[in-house]
Amino acid sequence: GSLGYWLEQQGVQRGSQPWYYYVLLQVPVYEFLTALGTWVTLGILAVRKVRGAPMVSDIPETEADSAPEGQDQPRGQALFLWLTGFWLISSTIAYTYAGEKMPWLTVHIALPLILFSGWGFGQLVEGLNWKAIRSQRGLLLISLIIVFLVGFSAALASLLGTERPFSGKELDQLNHTLRFIFSLLTAIGSGVAIAWLLKGWDDLEMLGRLALTTLLGLLAVLTARAAYRAAYINYDNPTEYLVYAHSATGVKRALAQIQELTERTTDGLEMMVAYDDETTYPYWWYLRDYSNQKYYGASPTRELREAPVILVGDNNYAKIEPVVGMAYYRFDYNRIWWPDQDYYDLTWERIRNALTNPEMRAALWEIWLNRDYTKYAAVTGKTTLTLPNWDPADRMRLYIRKDVAAQVWNLGAAPESEIEELLADPYEGKGVSLIADASLGGNGVFNLPRNLAVAADGTLYVADTNNHRILHINTNGETLHEWGSFADSNTMEAEAPPGTFYEPWSIAIGTDGSVFVADTWNHRIQKFTPDGRFITQWGVFGQAETPDAFWGPRDIAINDQGHLFITDTGNKRIAVFDQNGNFITQFGEAGLLAGQFDEPVGIALDDEGRVYVADTWNQRVQVFEYNPEAGQYIPSNEWPIVGWYGQSLDNKPYLRIDGTSVYISDPEGYRILEFTTEGEFVRYWGQYGSDLSSFILPAGLAIDPAGGIWVADAGNNRLMHFQTENP
């Protein structure tokens, strides 16, 4: 049953809320009236205890003197208080201790709060002599008490707030001063009127009851207001703490766009709508009547272009971008969101700051009263407290194909010829099916291998990136040498020890057989003997202040003279050194013009000594030639790549050259592209998958002595070999 299910959830600890979730958040924000009422009940019982009066009675105190002498006090109320008191205490302790803490479980604390405090409210109201109150202008007194409480609260808020009175003569400062003076005069005036009315009062206890009842009445109004706002205004927003996680407004907006498209293009619900494993919730239900809905999970392929509409969650953004390219309009929405969770990890210091810092007090007051996070965002510096960019949230994208959008949103749409050009895939029709004749890895051998190099004898050196090591293996996968372990120079007082790595992304073989490793996140190049003995290293983290100041070097190419061409990716340059680490030259800078780079990654040299660079975020390959007169490398050619759309950490392409063929990886396009050295497209192969003709994140490439090509299929943790005879 439900109790058994709830008990099972304690190990799951769904929500991962802090122990004070109910006591310091849910109850103060939503059950403040009943929480105060509980203290009223306890106060009434304490006063009666001190006076020696019966703790409980079915007879109101105003009539207690007329009760028959010796009458036994009824036990019903006492049992009621014991029961509800025990219920309240045990529920608070149990749900505070429980692993699962959810807003809807607050009801188990709220119910005994309502009953226990309700008894106190009843005693308070029943103890009022309304006839005497009316005869002594009590209704006017109640009104004046309300005015006094409002005026006094406003004046106190001005004194304790961020904009205090009498702080200057600017217009805003004068306005704050005037508001304080008005509030203070209101409080004083109503207070004087209350004092004048009280001259005829001789029952001070009755007066206290009346004042407390008035205060509780005001809190009841605030409670009703909070309930109304939660149910009818903020019901779809994460500004309320009554909801743990729910669909954001973007889900409905996206669905409305989809429905308009399908009704205007198919006169029904027949349009193909594709969705992934993240947008399955909630679209598996919302799209239940769409006859052509298509689920593609976490594995989008280029065949998805048949779908006019594609839905994708934020974890699959990088995968879908190579599919949609420039052929779709993109709309970004929140899919699921949670309330702000800054109440996590409360400390006494944070609580003290909240109570003593005027800005923080004002910010928390606005959240409590109006669920307005503007002041809190200003105090904390957070930029994620407006609905469009709310965090925590899961986001999604709606992609609408441009040719379909043009049929509906024809105002301002591009000409049909331009749309057809955007939809056209220049590589379409030139895909081939190549099946790997060898596959090495599996069984946990590699962990995201980013690159490899082929030695003169055909053996392989592998940058086993996430294992932070180098493997030397033969073509059967047998290990010949292995070296390296993890070390992070960014967290050490000294540089990482030689022979350790932090995600090596590339490896190259020198003219003398030496092995060079791009130790990417230790921002250095290391040199080893063929069997892994350390020789030397160079490089420090920096922004090219010195020639050896690297920022995440990603690839190495070596020419016949033994010069190392290194893509210093973060610094948008190519740095050239000799095999001993002596600086020779550098070229490139940030930008999109010829000779400039935006995320250079892969690098290779052809037989003529020309340098080819994968200029990733500029989506092009640039070619450089050495100009002896200028004494530097200058751009001589470039061609665009229809791919490399994503800017994720994984979408880092590499290239290698074999004769007149340039092989280029398209990691998040799950394919290998082949061009001529002049930039003419030849063919491609691969798609998403794990069979011998598919890839998940193809990265580094290497040409073997026989003309075959090795591919580091990082996502599948394997190396694949293909025969590449020209078609």
Side-chain angles (χ1 to χ4, degrees):
S2 58
L3 178 60
Y5 168 78
W6 181 73
L7 290 174
E8 290 177 0
Q9 292 301 307
Q10 305 319 304
V12 178
Q13 295 189 3
R14 186 169 52 155
S16 302
Q17 300 292 345
W19 67 268
Y20 48 80
Y21 177 68
Y22 299 110
V23 177
L24 295 185
L25 183 70
Q26 291 293 328
V27 170
V29 172
Y30 296 104
E31 295 297 335
F32 48 87
L33 175 62
T34 55
L36 180 60
T38 296
W39 289 104
V40 170
T41 297
L42 294 174
I44 291 173
L45 295 174
V47 169
R48 291 181 180 178
K49 178 69 174 177
V50 170
R51 291 179 175 179
M55 299 292 286
V56 294
S57 174
D58 285 334
I59 304 172
E61 286 191 2
T62 53
E63 304 174 16
D65 293 339
S66 62
E69 185 176 353
Q71 175 177 305
D72 292 335
Q73 296 296 327
R75 299 176 57 85
Q77 290 190 49
L79 290 174
F80 172 82
L81 288 174
W82 279 110
L83 173 63
T84 54
F86 173 77
W87 183 7
L88 173 59
I89 294 172
S90 60
S91 292
T92 303
I93 294 174
Y95 285 93
T96 296
Y97 176 77
E100 180 182 71
K101 297 179 181 69
M102 288 292 170
W104 53 83
L105 295 177
T106 308
V107 69
H108 297 288
I109 298 174
L111 283 176
L113 267 176
I114 292 170
L115 295 174
F116 192 75
S117 62
W119 182 89
F121 293 158
Q123 295 293 307
L124 189 66
V125 174
E126 289 175 0
L128 292 172
N129 188 333
W130 291 103
K131 183 177 181 180
I133 290 173
R134 284 192 295 271
S135 66
Q136 294 179 306
R137 291 180 288 188
L139 296 180
L140 177 59
L141 182 61
I142 291 174
S143 300
L144 288 172
I145 290 174
I146 293 174
V147 173
F148 173 79
L149 290 174
V150 172
F152 178 78
S153 299
L156 185 63
S158 294
L159 288 174
L160 299 178
T162 56
E163 300 291 343
R164 299 186 179 183
F166 310 108
S167 57
K169 296 182 179 180
E170 297 293 332
L171 182 59
D172 286 344
Q173 295 169 330
L174 291 174
N175 285 334
H176 284 97
T177 300
L178 289 175
R179 280 198 291 269
F180 168 74
I181 293 174
F182 178 78
S183 301
L184 183 62
L185 290 176
T186 300
I188 293 173
S190 57
V192 170
I194 291 171
W196 180 76
L197 286 175
L198 291 179
K199 289 181 179 180
W201 285 72
D202 54 4
D203 190 346
L204 295 180
E205 181 177 340
M206 186 69 67
L207 177 62
R209 286 175 177 271
L210 184 61
L212 186 55
T213 301
T214 303
L215 174 61
L216 293 174
L218 288 175
L219 292 179
V221 172
L222 288 177
T223 299
R225 176 179 178 270
Y228 178 82
R229 289 174 64 87
Y232 297 105
I233 297 177
N234 297 326
Y235 62 93
D236 238 0
N237 295 331
T239 53
E240 293 288 350
Y241 292 97
L242 272 180
V243 178
Y244 168 62
H246 61 127
S247 294
T249 52
V251 171
K252 296 179 182 178
R253 293 174 184 171
L255 186 64
Q257 287 178 271
I258 295 171
Q259 187 165 346
E260 180 187 7
L261 279 172
T262 185
E263 288 178 350
R264 294 183 62 179
T265 57
T266 69
D267 197 27
L269 302 179
E270 299 175 2
M271 184 176 67
M272 180 184 291
V273 180
Y275 59 94
D276 68 348
D277 57 338
E278 293 199 343
T279 53
T280 295
Y281 175 81
Y283 284 103
W284 68 273
W285 176 254
Y286 288 160
L287 298 176
R288 64 191 183 279
D289 294 328
Y290 284 68
S291 57
N292 288 318
Q293 59 170 283
K294 179 180 178 65
Y295 173 74
Y296 63 90
S299 308
T301 63
R302 283 179 288 279
E303 285 70 25
L304 276 182
R305 283 188 166 215
E306 298 176 4
V309 172
I310 301 174
L311 292 161
V312 60
D314 47 8
N315 283 334
N316 291 324
Y317 284 173
K319 294 179 181 179
I320 203 67
E321 285 178 348
V323 174
V324 298
M326 299 296 294
Y328 285 71
Y329 292 116
R330 189 186 93 187
F331 301 86
D332 291 86
Y333 294 112
N334 289 319
R335 181 174 63 91
I336 301 175
W337 46 23
W338 291 260
D340 179 61
Q341 296 178 349
D342 276 7
Y343 57 84
Y344 278 48
D345 302 320
L346 275 185
T347 62
W348 288 114
E349 178 61 25
R350 290 185 64 193
I351 295 173
R352 186 191 66 79
N353 178 63
L355 295 175
T356 58
N357 185 329
E359 289 84 2
M360 184 60 75
R361 280 201 307 265
L364 294 178
W365 172 259
E366 283 298 315
I367 293 175
W368 182 83
L369 184 64
N370 298 316
R371 307 297 185 264
D372 185 347
Y373 292 79
T374 305
K375 289 185 177 180
Y376 185 77
V379 172
T380 59
K382 295 186 68 173
T383 59
T384 57
L385 292 175
T386 58
L387 294 182
N389 62 344
W390 187 270
D391 188 59
D394 284 347
R395 310 189 193 283
M396 69 176 211
R397 286 176 181 170
L398 168 67
Y399 287 97
I400 299 177
R401 209 171 64 205
K402 291 182 177 179
D403 62 327
V404 176
Q407 299 177 42
V408 178
W409 304 321
N410 47 15
L411 294 178
E416 186 174 347
S417 59
E418 292 185 17
I419 293 174
E420 290 177 353
E421 184 177 343
L422 287 171
L423 289 171
D425 184 351
Y427 306 150
E428 195 67 35
K430 294 189 177 181
V432 297
S433 178
L434 291 185
I435 299 176
D437 58 11
S439 177
L440 308 180
N443 299 320
V445 174
F446 302 123
N447 187 357
L448 216 66
R450 299 284 187 179
N451 218 326
L452 75 163
V454 179
D457 61 0
T459 58
L460 309 176
Y461 287 89
V462 184
D464 191 8
T465 305
N466 278 22
N467 279 329
H468 313 287
R469 65 176 179 173
I470 302 301
L471 280 179
H472 182 203
I473 61 177
N474 61 25
T475 54
N476 294 321
E478 298 168 338
T479 300
L480 305 176
H481 302 97
E482 173 186 347
W483 69 92
S485 60
F486 175 75
D488 180 4
S489 62
N490 304 286
T491 60
M492 303 171 66
E493 294 183 1
E495 64 183 20
T500 61
F501 304 105
Y502 184 5
E503 292 192 9
W505 276 63
S506 186
I507 191 166
I509 310 299
T511 54
D512 61 353
S514 298
V515 179
F516 294 87
V517 179
D519 186 8
T520 300
W521 298 121
N522 282 324
H523 312 286
R524 64 184 178 180
I525 304 299
Q526 295 194 64
K527 180 181 180 181
F528 301 90
T529 63
D531 58 358
R533 286 177 288 121
F534 175 78
I535 298 175
T536 188
Q537 66 179 21
W538 66 93
V540 295
F541 173 69
Q543 298 184 23
E545 303 92 342
T546 59
D548 65 344
F550 296 121
W551 189 351
R554 284 310 207 297
D555 200 12
I556 304 170
I558 303 176
N559 67 10
D560 294 338
Q561 289 77 42
H563 295 168
L564 277 67
F565 292 74
I566 301 166
T567 52
D568 186 8
T569 305
N571 288 321
K572 322 296 185 189
R573 65 166 184 159
I574 307 300
V576 185
F577 295 81
D578 68 18
Q579 295 190 80
N580 295 314
N582 298 307
F583 176 71
I584 298 175
T585 188
Q586 64 181 13
F587 55 95
E589 61 182 356
L592 49 79
L593 301 178
Q596 297 177 331
F597 300 114
D598 194 358
E599 201 74 2
V601 178
I603 190 168
L605 296 99
D606 66 12
D607 295 337
E608 304 297 324
R610 291 179 294 186
V611 182
Y612 296 71
V613 181
D615 188 8
T616 309
W617 292 349
N618 282 326
Q619 294 178 285
R620 65 183 176 182
V621 172
Q622 289 200 72
V623 185
F624 296 82
E625 293 187 34
Y626 185 71
N627 185 322
E629 295 180 0
Q632 60 184 358
Y633 286 86
I634 60 174
S636 61
N637 189 20
E638 68 174 65
W639 66 84
I641 298 296
V642 182
W644 303 350
Y645 294 104
Q647 295 191 4
S648 71
L649 184 63
D650 289 323
N651 196 30
K652 305 303 178 197
Y654 288 85
L655 49 82
R656 293 294 181 261
I657 299 173
D658 183 21
T660 60
S661 295
V662 182
Y663 297 98
I664 302 171
S665 62
D666 185 6
E668 291 177 347
Y670 319 111
R671 59 186 176 180
I672 305 299
L673 308 174
E674 181 183 346
F675 293 82
T676 68
T677 50
E678 300 304 317
E680 180 182 350
F681 181 70
V682 178
R683 59 178 177 170
Y684 76 87
W685 74 90
Q687 59 277 321
Y688 183 91
S690 299
D691 57 48
L692 292 179
S693 62
S694 304
F695 306 106
I696 300 179
L697 211 65
L701 309 170
I703 307 298
D704 68 15
I709 184 170
W710 286 94
V711 179
D713 184 13
N716 280 317
N717 295 313
R718 65 183 178 181
L719 308 177
M720 304 176 72
H721 183 266
F722 296 89
Q723 298 294 339
T724 58
E725 295 85 356
N726 288 328

